[in-house]
Amino acid sequence: MTQQKPSSDSLRAILADIAETMAQEPFRGSVADYIPQLARVDPAQFAITLATAEGDVISVGDADTPFSIQSISKVFTLAVALGNQGERLWSRVGREPSGDPFNSIVQLEYEKGLPRNPFINAGAIAVTDSILGQYAPKEALGQILQFIRFVAGQEDIAIDPAVARSEQETGFRNVALANFMRGFGTLQGAPERTLGVYFHHCAIAMTARQLALAGRFLAFDGCLSPGGARVIKARMARQINALMLTCGLYDGSGEFAFRVGLPGKSGVGGGILAVAPGQASIGCWSPGLNALGNSHLASRALELLADRTGWSVFAPR
Amino acid sequence: MTQQKPSSDSLRAILADIAETMAQEPFRGSVADYIPQLARVDPAQFAITLATAEGDVISVGDADTPFSIQSISKVFTLAVALGNQGERLWSRVGREPSGDPFNSIVQLEYEKGLPRNPFINAGAIAVTDSILGQYAPKEALGQILQFIRFVAGQEDIAIDPAVARSEQETGFRNVALANFMRGFGTLQGAPERTLGVYFHHCAIAMTARQLALAGRFLAFDGCLSPGGARVIKARMARQINALMLTCGLYDGSGEFAFRVGLPGKSGVGGGILAVAPGQASIGCWSPGLNALGNSHLASRALELLADRTGWSVFAPR
Amino acid sequence: MTQQKPSSDSLRAILADIAETMAQEPFRGSVADYIPQLARVDPAQFAITLATAEGDVISVGDADTPFSIQSISKVFTLAVALGNQGERLWSRVGREPSGDPFNSIVQLEYEKGLPRNPFINAGAIAVTDSILGQYAPKEALGQILQFIRFVAGQEDIAIDPAVARSEQETGFRNVALANFMRGFGTLQGAPERTLGVYFHHCAIAMTARQLALAGRFLAFDGCLSPGGARVIKARMARQINALMLTCGLYDGSGEFAFRVGLPGKSGVGGGILAVAPGQASIGCWSPGLNALGNSHLASRALELLADRTGWSVFAPR
Amino acid sequence: MTQQKPSSDSLRAILADIAETMAQEPFRGSVADYIPQLARVDPAQFAITLATAEGDVISVGDADTPFSIQSISKVFTLAVALGNQGERLWSRVGREPSGDPFNSIVQLEYEKGLPRNPFINAGAIAVTDSILGQYAPKEALGQILQFIRFVAGQEDIAIDPAVARSEQETGFRNVALANFMRGFGTLQGAPERTLGVYFHHCAIAMTARQLALAGRFLAFDGCLSPGGARVIKARMARQINALMLTCGLYDGSGEFAFRVGLPGKSGVGGGILAVAPGQASIGCWSPGLNALGNSHLASRALELLADRTGWSVFAPR
């Protein structure tokens, strides 16, 4: 009854089919336009990369074009914070889906400054602040970047300084969230210091290929490959997957779980990192967004992929 | 790396351990007290039953004592409605976690009468109403009951009329939800008719053992056993699992996904149905509830079970 | 510095001017259409009547055409309830503007079933229920109708049974509000019984002339004329005026206080009762509503009237 | 029927009675403690001053002790902004009561960054920002201070720099509000610049006597005395009174209108400015606050004063 593992060749064929279907999609969503660096990205681009349990790395499309990972960085900062602080982290951020848009402040007021989960903006800012409790801003940012480079096995991943600067100049809503939480004591440091680090880790640029590689530790129970080098505890990898499934696509998380059935985390740069535990880590990218702020084509592509491979955490094993 | 399947014997030992641990728990939560039939249930009771892929049915505790399944019935009415109507059902109910308590009406006002998901009260009432579009109340209720008897393979499952009557007499909040949705056109029939059926399916009594058996079709991709008689399409079984994982324990769904890592559905009677796809369907029951309205001990027991067996949809396969 | 009292003749001239200006208004708002009886009212109609301190009754327009007073009835039921119960009434309803639409249920959930004020639907239903604590439905309705006939000095004021029936058939939102409050214990009787009375007092039909007469007790400190027969205590009349000023036009109350500067109460039938304390009671009617559910032309006409007469509670005396 | 004007002697006697009653009040509320300068004020203090139409200035209690006027400054900045910009101001701030606490951000999110009225913090920050559109921060602050000195006829009114500094250091919530509105374009300048001016005008210190004098232009239709020097248009004075009545005491505005029946504006320093149009401007102060952030004793004292004098905008004239 359980799914047969698709071979490397059949995965290659599936990706080619998906790329072709996506190329023919007339509607591609709208590129994020709140900062010029995102607004001028070509919406015609599309990429998908699989990093499989067998060690294959299979790509189609613009898989070597870097894009701004934006909120996908929240997965990596969460992993860093959990690694450093363990369970203590959860006194500063909840673990429930919010039912609100990613940048909502309403929930924060009703719940006295405690953000619902680490993947809404407020929650991710609180996680960043927790890392700053132990490190100076430069060090904290270094830690996060070093972690991503390590899990991706790619030394050339870097922050796009123009994006970081633009975020800092226009991120009034995030300044509001940070100060609001600071007023409640959820943030412990100076809001502008925390936001400086936050805006920078959101401005990290990666390719779909690098993203797939960087997500392997979530697909393989905390290790870079099945039975390979351990990055974080198995329990933590599963917990991060759970949070991605329930909260990773903002107010489209339920829909993504329903349609795709895999943990995922999206960013307004158009990327989605998805995880098929034990099978593959998947980096997918297309810049056009749907109304909920998730990549339209990447969502569709992942749905097709799950359908063709049978990958779903809800299928029998 | 993937988990070895625990043997029938080791599962038996695990259940015995869990029952012992639970027996020693000083804090057992509070029994629901909004209707007398629930208020007078003995909080000391505890039961857990596994219905495994191998066909074993393994129980500990009060596994043959019937309890009121309450909101767990929403899983079965959803399956009936999906079976009858397919995708059309989703025009009347959403698929997103709500971030609100189970009986909240706030979300309904902000989202113009469309309930967020089929597992909050409003959503389940909308699902029940959709079944009534095709059947008279008695027939609809008959359909639901017959479905449950069939998937459990137990002909003696029945509605507790005293519970149904009490719900009907005190369910002002549900009357409010139904009429509110009727005002928006989400409900199409007379609210009192729909509520009559709703209160009755919530009043179905089952044992932990029956519950575990009734959940097999979710654990085995829509079939009563791996490769066995098909109840619903595989795709639908996975979709229901996804909804259970993201929305099944109300505002404790994220926490349950984080700690247990399995799709689950709770009821204020103290029951939880959990699903380990490909491995087992699990019926668990203890009447005392936590602040979010989920069974305190059943939640804890399922966390221990997942920990001991390694069952988690987020673990590699 | 204080305003000179305008003479009866000058008031007549002012009303004539206003009627002419209104006749030329191209935009007249939209007639309420949730029940057929309101939907088929001719939007071209307009009336205004003043009942002055001097005992003059001055009208222009369709001042003898009856219309459905709808929410304006809440002023009279409040007066009846305050007369019967005094300060005890305020344990069941608040005295604050709500910042929400008239039929919102959100505030009720956040504030545990206590409606914010007696002029939102929920609050008026709670007031009606409080009267039912002392009287049977027929008697309660008789009390309210008798009170209105007495203060208007008009025996032929009656309920429009077709309107009452339609309200009852389509008032799902109000059924929701009533049951929601019943769940919290704010309502003490059976919701359908309270709603029966509520729908009937909202269905009272009056002319602009009758409305102006009925409001005199609010303009003259609780008496039918300055120094005349006392209806309620002076303190209560002032309190009702205060509630009208802060809450009488739903979410347009602040705007009305800002522009007109007089206590007022609107109904979706297009009527507005306004009060210039010590000077006049004003009945105004035009069926077309603005986006907030208040009569568009009646609001404009009252602004012109206040401007021309200098009547404003915020002007020096 | 209308109230006789109380003589200067009888007003003196009424104030003496009130002061005595207040001195015996066992419960005095809690002094605001969010900044040290407010926390260390002696809660036993009480003062009330009337500035009457006849030109009398009558005081009891600590009427020459300066206190931090805090939000009462919003009345004066509104007058300055209206004087400068007229009706254009209303594109940036609404005129409706909010139904939320003074520092709530929820309404701002639901209503896309437009604050409900000029007296909640968000609204006052927007008003301050509008003044900065025309003046540099120092000049803007100079304008506001000069206006207050002029209307009070007191050259020695000044900003308490220690209070301003403390506000600036701890005002995270206000930083959140300002940045949130900046994100929506409601603020047009740099949030920190606007907040600098806002924190400073909230830190103005005045005595009850100075406050009463400063409010005369609201009591006398825009003039410093009946028929005296005009400060703003009569229409604007009435509009400000209307806003004070509907929104001046935050979520206690309805209650204050109900009990006192006069326009008022409170501050967390314990002051309340109240206005009896045509009769008197009233400055009242006692540092202890009730749960809604309004002075407990000043609210009570004003209720007694209104009761004894018959002053109420809702009484006949």
Side-chain angles (χ1 to χ4, degrees), chain C residues 57 64 145-158 206-207 209-211 213-214 216:
Chain C
V57 179
D64 292 313
L145 200 54
Q146 192 182 333
F147 178 85
I148 294 177
R149 286 172 178 163
F150 171 68
V151 291
Q154 306 271 313
E155 277 310 301
D156 59 339
I157 294 168
M206 292 173 79
T207 65
R209 184 185 160 83
Q210 290 170 334
L211 190 58
L213 290 166
R216 289 172 303 172

Side-chain angles (χ1 to χ4, degrees), chain D residues 251-307:
Chain D
D251 211 12
S253 299
E255 190 73 12
F256 191 81
F258 183 89
R259 290 184 176 281
V260 180
L262 300 175
K265 182 74 207 80
S266 63
V268 292
I272 300 181
L273 170 64
V275 173
Q279 290 156 325
S281 166
I282 308 154
C284 194
W285 173 58
S286 181
L289 308 179
N290 63 22
L292 299 167
N294 299 313
S295 169
H296 176 66
L297 288 196
S299 303
R300 295 267 298 110
L302 289 165
E303 188 179 352
L304 286 178
L305 178 69
D307 195 54

Side-chain angles (χ1 to χ4, degrees), chain A residues 10-24 46 60 304 308:
Chain A
S10 74
L11 286 175
R12 234 173 278 275
I14 289 169
L15 289 199
D17 278 6
I18 291 172
E20 199 172 328
T21 308
M22 292 302 116
Q24 288 160 12
F46 173 82
V60 283
L304 286 178
R308 292 286 297 275

Side-chain angles (χ1 to χ4, degrees), chain B residues 28-31 39-46 285-289 297:
Chain B
R28 312 187 76 85
S30 310
V31 170
R40 71 169 86 97
V41 173
D42 175 5
Q45 298 174 94
F46 174 82
W285 173 58
S286 181
L289 307 179
L297 287 196

Side-chain angles (χ1 to χ4, degrees), chain A residues 186-229:
Chain A
T186 305
L187 294 206
Q188 290 164 2
E192 60 275 17
R193 217 161 146 258
T194 300
L195 286 168
V197 177
Y198 175 78
F199 287 134
H200 276 81
H201 72 62
C202 287
I204 290 171
M206 294 174 76
T207 65
R209 185 185 160 83
Q210 290 170 333
L211 191 58
L213 291 167
R216 290 171 301 172
F217 75 103
L218 296 170
F220 308 127
D221 236 15
C223 302
L224 290 183
S225 64

Side-chain angles (χ1 to χ4, degrees), chain C residues 45-50 57 59-69 72 76 148 152 154 156-158 204-215 270-273 281-286:
Chain C
Q45 298 174 93
F46 173 81
I48 186 162
T49 296
L50 308 180
V57 179
S59 297
V60 284
D62 309 299
D64 292 313
T65 306
F67 58 88
S68 193
I69 64 167
I72 305 174
F76 304 113
I148 294 177
Q154 306 271 313
D156 59 339
I157 294 168
I204 289 171
M206 292 173 79
T207 65
R209 184 185 160 83
Q210 290 170 334
L211 190 58
L213 290 166
I272 300 181
L273 170 64
S281 166
I282 308 153
C284 194
W285 172 58
S286 182

